[in-house]
Amino acid sequence: MLGNHTSATEFYLVGFPGSEKLRRALFSTFCFFYLVSLVGNAVIIVIVCVDKRLQSPMYFFLVHLSILEILLTTVIVPVMLWGLLLPGMQAVSLAGCVAQLFLQLALGTTEFSLLGVMAVDRYVAVCNPLRYNVIMNSQTCNSAVIVSWVFGFLYQIWPVYATFHLTYCKSNVVDNFFCDRGQLLKLSCDNTIFIEFILFLMAIFVLFGSLIPTIVSYTYIISTILKIPSASGQRKAFSTCASHFTFVVIGYGCCLFLYVKPKQTQAADYNRTVSLMISIVTPFLNPFIFTLRNDKVLEALRDGVKRCYQLFKS
C-alpha cells in the first residue's frame, strides 16, 4: 500500500478477518465484555472510595489497579469495536498509532509494577500483621503508587520512539486489531534484530522485576500460612491473598507469552489471541476476581445496593 514511499503516515488495521455475520457476533461479544469491565471496575472504585470499611492499603492499591484496567481496555477496545463495524481495513493515523502503542505499553508496565507492590503489601499483612499499619502507612502507599505510574510511563518512551523511528517501506497493513509492536516491526525494511533484542531485555526487566518480589512474597506467605495450626485460620489467611494471586497468574501468564520472547515478530494469529486475553478477558475478570473472593467487598456491595434501593424507593 505504500507504493514508492519510504515511510508510513498512516496504518491500516486488518482486525478480525471473516464474514460480516462473524464480525457482528464478535462486536456484540466484545462490546458486552467491555461494558461489563467498565462497570465492574468502576463499581470497585466507587465502593472503595465510599465505604469506610475498605479504607486500607490493599483496597487503595485495588482502586489504582481498577483505574489501570479501565484505561488499558479503553485504549484498545473502542478502536477494535469500530473496526468490526467498518467494511475492509481500518485506517489509523501515525500519531494515533504512536499514542495507542505508548499508552498500552505504559499502562501495562505500570500495572505490573503495581502488582509487585500489592504482593509486598500482602506479605506484610500475613507475615508481619502487628506492624502492618506502621509499615504500609499512607506515605508509603502514595509513594509506591506514584513511583509505579511514573516508572511505567517513562520506561516506555524509548521503546515506542525506537519502533516508530524505523523506516516502514514494506507495507502499512498491520495484521492485528490494534497497533501491535510485533506486527509493526515486521513492516520495517530496517534490520530490527538489535531493537528486538533490547525490547526483549526490557520486557524481561519489567516482568521479572515485578515477578521476583511476588514470588519471594508468596514463598514467605505460604510458609507462614502452613505454620498456622487451624485449617480455618489457614483459609482465612490465604483468602486475603487469593484474589491477588489469581490475577497475577492470569496477567503474567498472558504477558510472558506476548512480550518475553527474543523474536518480537510473532505470528499474527498468536499475537491476536494473546492480545485479546490482555485487553478484554483480564479486565473483564478483574471485578469478579476481587469481589467474589472477598467477603468485605461483597458486604460493602450488598450494603451499597440496599442503600440505593431504599433511596429510589423513598
Side-chain angles (χ1 to χ4, degrees):
M1 275 189 145
L2 283 174
N4 294 325
H5 293 281
T6 58
S7 193
T9 57
E10 66 178 2
F11 294 92
Y12 291 87
L13 306 180
V14 173
F16 296 89
S19 64
E20 184 178 350
K21 184 177 181 181
L22 174 62
R23 291 162 66 89
R24 299 292 178 182
L26 290 175
F27 175 85
S28 301
T29 303
F30 295 152
C31 188
F32 170 75
F33 273 58
Y34 178 54
L35 292 176
V36 171
S37 174
L38 288 183
V39 173
N41 283 290
V43 167
I44 288 177
I45 295 170
V46 172
I47 288 177
V48 173
C49 292
V50 170
D51 199 298
K52 293 182 179 180
R53 291 169 295 185
L54 304 180
Q55 303 300 311
S56 69
M58 174 183 173
Y59 300 106
F60 173 73
F61 295 134
L62 179 57
V63 166
H64 284 270
L65 183 64
S66 294
I67 293 172
L68 284 166
E69 291 291 85
I70 290 174
L71 293 176
L72 187 58
T73 192
T74 301
V75 166
I76 295 176
V77 177
V79 175
M80 179 190 68
L81 293 176
W82 180 243
L84 286 170
L85 294 177
L86 294 175
M89 291 182 289
Q90 181 183 9
V92 179
S93 67
L94 177 61
C97 209
V98 171
Q100 187 184 55
L101 181 61
F102 175 71
L103 288 173
Q104 180 227 350
L105 294 175
L107 292 169
T109 302
T110 303
E111 185 168 304
F112 281 112
S113 301
L114 188 62
L115 286 174
V117 171
M118 292 176 74
V120 175
D121 169 71
R122 292 299 83 207
Y123 158 75
V124 177
V126 174
C127 301
N128 206 345
L130 297 179
R131 298 190 61 205
Y132 178 69
N133 291 328
V134 176
I135 297 173
M136 302 303 296
N137 55 54
S138 59
Q139 184 178 354
T140 301
C141 294
N142 288 327
S143 299
V145 166
I146 291 171
V147 169
S148 297
W149 279 91
V150 172
F151 170 74
F153 277 76
L154 292 181
Y155 192 75
Q156 293 299 338
I157 291 176
W158 183 87
V160 175
Y161 170 79
T163 300
F164 288 98
H165 196 64
L166 298 170
T167 302
Y168 294 97
C169 57
K170 292 180 180 179
S171 173
N172 56 353
V173 177
V174 180
D175 194 2
N176 211 326
F177 56 85
F178 72 106
C179 290
D180 176 25
R181 183 171 65 192
Q183 298 305 307
L184 286 168
L185 291 175
K186 290 176 67 174
L187 303 180
S188 174
C189 52
D190 297 331
N191 189 336
T192 62
I193 294 177
F194 176 73
I195 290 179
E196 288 185 51
F197 179 68
I198 296 300
L199 294 176
F200 168 69
L201 292 180
M202 293 184 72
I204 285 283
F205 178 78
V206 169
L207 291 176
F208 285 93
S210 56
L211 187 59
I212 289 173
T214 301
I215 294 173
V216 172
S217 296
Y218 274 100
T219 301
Y220 281 104
I221 287 170
I222 293 171
S223 175
T224 301
I225 290 175
L226 291 177
K227 292 177 182 177
I228 299 175
S230 65
S232 60
Q234 290 181 350
R235 285 195 298 270
K236 184 178 180 181
F238 189 73
S239 66
T240 64
C241 310
S243 299
H244 176 263
F245 182 77
T246 304
F247 190 85
V248 163
V249 171
I250 297 173
Y252 279 97
C254 293
C255 286
L256 283 172
F257 281 110
L258 186 60
Y259 294 115
V260 183
K261 52 185 186 290
K263 191 169 180 60
Q264 297 288 310
T265 53
Q266 197 76 21
D269 290 338
Y270 175 92
N271 279 4
R272 189 181 287 111
T273 301
V274 181
S275 297
L276 274 176
M277 289 291 296
I278 296 171
S279 60
I280 292 185
V281 178
T282 304
F284 171 79
L285 293 176
N286 180 49
F288 300 102
I289 292 172
F290 282 99
T291 56
L292 297 180
R293 286 178 168 272
N294 192 303
D295 293 334
K296 283 188 177 181
V297 175
L298 283 175
E299 186 178 350
L301 184 59
R302 283 194 294 265
D303 292 345
V305 171
K306 288 179 183 178
R307 285 197 294 267
C308 290
Y309 174 74
Q310 292 173 354
L311 183 64
F312 283 113
K313 188 177 179 181
S314 60

